[in-house]
Amino acid sequence: MTDTIIIGGGAAGCTAAVFAARFGKSVLLFEKNANIGRKLRITGKGRCNVTNNSPARVHMENIPVNSRFMYSAFSMFGAEDTMNFFEEMGVPLKTERGNRVFPVSDKAEDIVSALDSELKRLGVKIVRKAVDSLILDDGRCVGVTADGREYRSGSVLIACGGMSYPATGSTGDGYKLAKQAGHTITELKPSLVPLVSSDKFCGELMGLSLRNVTLKLMYGDKLIYSEMGEMLFTHFGISGPLALSASSHIREVQGGRYKAVIDLKPALAPDQLDARIRRDFNENLNRDFINGIRRLLPAKLIPVMVKKSGIAADRKINSITKEERLRFGELMKAFTVRISDFRPIDEAIITSGGVSVKEINPKTMESKLTDGLFFAGEVIDVDAYTGGFNLQIAFSTAYSAAVNL
């Protein structure tokens, strides 16, 4: 018999295990992978965007669905607490653009190593098995079964992630266990995921990375999202930070109503851009159009832009009219990619959907249906935009649960 069992050795599970042990609980941590923190190791391109150095209000604003559920958890354990938590374990942190927080070393491995070392120091026992089912007794969760054996405990925390990145172990196990206890699982969808386009030119632009561009996500004529940053063209559509962030604002992608409108020169107002184009045209009056815009755009983008402009590639620049030149400038300020679908959920960074928040106590993370059963992290129906906000959800819910296990 142990005080508490925690299922999942990711960000939420490990954090909850550390705090539960610090609060004097005996802890069994179940992790089916050979090592803890498989997904943590690859977050932020291997750098691990630990949190966002912003007040709780900003974190709430970056959660599109069920943000109010997080109010108590953020009040108990916010971004500053997360930063202190890791720095006290010997991981110096830094704050970058957009208040994103990373290890000074730029190594996600340092975050995982710190958690691993602290779990060992506190005597948390890790069981390298997948949990098969919960043990339920008269409306209370009193343990789990794994590999045919029963493990009894005073409480159980489900913190085994969603369905994104299944290679890291996030294969939806938490949803099955929650259903066993009678919980509702809301519709599971990919979030922070690359976007598919039916536009053939995306394949022609495959591998092209754009920096310092602005991407606007439009639903018909309605602006849904706008941000400046980086993006990438792929064989299927678009990816990179801007595309991933835009994806979390899309509810029902089918129907072809969404489009990404890219401003290739956001630092220039339309009249400033026209002045720049005129200057380049004046320097290349006798050249073909396709050769006279080399300094305006990345080489890979030029043939696509020429085709979209409707100006023949071999037209002499001195024959291009003012109207054509202005339309070309408008194209540079509004390069449009039609969005037709999400990439599969196993390519998503985050799963949108999960255990219904209506069935979880927001102050304690305990099930309202089954005593002694708790939830933390991505398994709950709360997800956020990019920028460290999702990991903060994991840490905050983990702490709230740990206090009450």
Side-chain angles (χ1 to χ4, degrees):
M1 177 79 173
T2 190
D3 290 331
T4 190
I5 285 172
I6 294 173
I7 309 168
C14 288
T15 301
V18 165
F19 280 113
R22 286 182 183 179
F23 297 148
K25 303 280 187 181
S26 58
V27 181
L28 271 186
L29 176 63
F30 281 79
E31 173 50 61
K32 63 185 179 182
N33 288 318
N35 300 297
I36 65 163
R38 283 280 296 276
K39 193 171 175 182
L40 262 175
R41 284 182 166 91
I42 61 173
T43 59
K45 296 181 181 177
R47 295 175 65 215
C48 193
N49 185 182
V50 179
T51 185
N52 192 282
N53 191 1
S54 302
R57 172 185 54 79
V58 174
H59 283 259
M60 300 273 283
E61 289 169 355
N62 279 274
I63 299 173
V65 179
N66 299 326
S67 62
R68 288 177 63 83
F69 175 80
M70 290 301 301
Y71 181 81
S72 294
F74 285 155
S75 299
M76 288 180 69
F77 195 86
E80 188 175 346
D81 300 301
T82 295
M83 294 169 73
N84 290 336
F85 176 57
F86 285 106
E87 293 199 315
E88 286 166 6
M89 289 193 295
V91 185
L93 303 173
K94 60 182 177 179
T95 301
E96 296 187 357
R97 182 177 61 84
N99 292 324
R100 291 168 165 86
V101 178
F102 295 91
V104 169
S105 65
D106 285 329
K107 293 179 180 175
E109 187 65 41
D110 290 353
I111 296 293
V112 178
S113 294
L115 289 168
D116 195 30
S117 297
E118 187 68 356
L119 290 169
K120 287 173 181 170
R121 186 186 75 79
L122 292 164
V124 173
K125 185 179 178 184
I126 301 178
V127 182
R128 309 286 180 185
K129 293 178 181 177
V131 169
D132 300 318
S133 63
L134 304 175
I135 301 173
L136 303 173
D137 184 9
D138 195 24
R140 184 172 185 86
C141 187
V142 295
V144 302
T145 62
D147 200 18
R149 178 182 165 186
E150 287 192 353
Y151 297 81
R152 296 275 173 164
S153 63
S155 59
V156 172
L157 170 64
I158 296 176
C160 41
M163 292 186 71
S164 55
Y165 283 149
T168 66
S170 295
T171 51
D173 298 356
Y175 306 131
K176 297 170 193 169
L177 296 173
K179 280 182 180 178
Q180 189 191 340
H183 278 278
T184 305
I185 308 302
T186 62
E187 183 186 0
L188 303 174
K189 296 184 292 186
S191 185
L192 303 182
V193 66
L195 295 169
V196 177
S197 173
S198 56
D199 291 326
K200 292 183 179 178
F201 61 75
C202 288
E204 297 170 41
L205 297 174
M206 182 175 64
L208 174 64
S209 179
L210 298 177
R211 297 188 175 202
N212 300 317
V213 297
T214 295
L215 184 150
K216 291 180 180 178
L217 179 69
M218 306 295 295
Y219 180 72
D221 294 327
K222 183 181 179 182
L223 175 65
I224 304 295
Y225 158 87
S226 178
E227 190 174 336
M228 185 176 178
E230 298 178 28
M231 61 166 290
L232 173 73
F233 285 98
T234 68
H235 66 284
F236 57 74
I238 57 175
S239 187
L242 290 178
L244 297 181
S245 292
S247 73
S248 62
H249 295 258
I250 297 175
R251 292 291 152 251
E252 297 295 331
V253 71
Q254 285 78 20
R257 301 252 358 237
Y258 286 99
K259 59 188 177 185
V261 180
I262 302 154
D263 185 344
L264 299 166
K265 300 290 182 182
L268 299 178
D271 58 336
Q272 293 174 314
L273 177 58
D274 186 50
R276 168 70 199 277
I277 294 170
R278 284 203 317 271
R279 190 182 72 204
D280 280 39
F281 276 17
N282 288 333
E283 292 173 3
N284 295 279
L285 287 172
N286 296 313
R287 304 190 76 173
D288 292 346
F289 176 51
I290 196 168
N291 297 321
I293 54 175
R294 287 180 177 175
R295 286 164 50 190
L296 283 169
L297 296 161
K300 203 164 194 173
L301 188 55
I302 288 174
V304 173
M305 288 291 286
V306 168
K307 187 182 288 186
K308 274 181 161 282
S309 75
I311 302 171
D314 59 357
R315 271 270 300 277
K316 297 301 179 187
I317 282 179
N318 60 22
S319 72
I320 293 173
T321 67
K322 177 183 177 181
E323 289 72 21
E324 288 172 324
R325 187 191 73 231
L326 289 172
R327 279 201 304 273
F328 182 65
E330 289 169 1
L331 176 61
M332 290 179 69
K333 298 292 285 182
F335 183 90
T336 300
V337 180
R338 292 174 296 174
I339 307 302
S340 58
D341 207 348
F342 296 119
R343 287 293 283 175
I345 197 165
D346 58 9
E347 292 182 30
I349 294 175
I350 293 292
T351 305
S352 178
V355 180
S356 171
V357 297
K358 296 175 183 176
E359 300 166 355
I360 302 171
N361 184 324
K363 293 182 178 177
T364 64
M365 298 299 142
E366 187 173 14
S367 166
K368 291 180 180 179
L369 310 181
T370 303
D371 292 342
L373 179 63
F374 294 77
F375 300 93
E378 194 181 346
V379 72
I380 302 171
D381 182 18
V382 183
D383 62 280
Y385 305 140
T386 56
F389 301 107
N390 284 293
L391 274 180
Q392 187 57 51
I393 290 171
F395 299 134
S396 295
T397 54
Y399 181 83
S400 296
V403 172
N404 296 284
L405 286 170

